[in-house]
Amino acid sequence: MTANPKLKDALIDQLFRGILSLGSEEECYQFFEDVCTIGELKAMAQRLEVARLLKAGVIYDDIVAATGASTATISRVKRCLYYGADGYKAVLAHLEEK
């Protein structure tokens, strides 16, 4: 799938090149701590875990219990997981390979 033309621009390209250049988990922690609030970072991590659990077939109630995510967040992640740009699928596939 190609990038959403409404999202794609030079500054976002630069951001993504910077992220791709990070060479370790520690560098990721350092960069994202500077770029995001702790709440934003925890929300992104929570959404990824929700996507992993949805992909594994876990039901909403169990996802709420495991992650603390709202049902609205779970629904949004599910919509992205099945009808989005396949970003969650790509990341989850990479994580499964490791």
Side-chain angles (χ1 to χ4, degrees):
M1 178 172 271
T2 60
N4 181 340
K6 293 178 183 177
L7 179 65
K8 188 160 176 51
D9 68 25
L11 292 177
I12 294 176
D13 288 349
Q14 175 180 264
L15 171 65
F16 291 160
R17 283 193 310 273
I19 292 168
L20 289 168
S21 76
L22 298 172
S24 69
E25 194 171 286
E26 184 61 31
E27 285 184 351
C28 286
Y29 269 99
Q30 292 168 333
F31 177 73
F32 282 98
E33 185 176 337
D34 286 348
V35 172
C36 301
T37 66
I38 292 171
E40 289 167 337
L41 195 50
K42 287 185 178 277
M44 287 189 286
Q46 180 188 62
R47 289 182 199 126
L48 182 59
E49 178 62 1
V50 166
R52 187 186 70 76
L53 294 171
L54 284 167
K55 188 171 181 270
V58 178
I59 63 170
Y60 273 43
D61 288 342
D62 292 342
I63 295 172
V64 169
T67 66
S70 68
T71 56
T73 294
I74 297 168
S75 294
R76 184 178 58 220
V77 171
K78 183 177 182 178
R79 188 171 46 253
C80 290
L81 188 60
Y82 294 103
Y83 304 109
D86 292 337
Y88 282 119
K89 289 178 184 176
V91 169
L92 293 171
H94 289 296
L95 289 173
E96 288 172 4
E97 290 172 3
K98 294 185 182 223

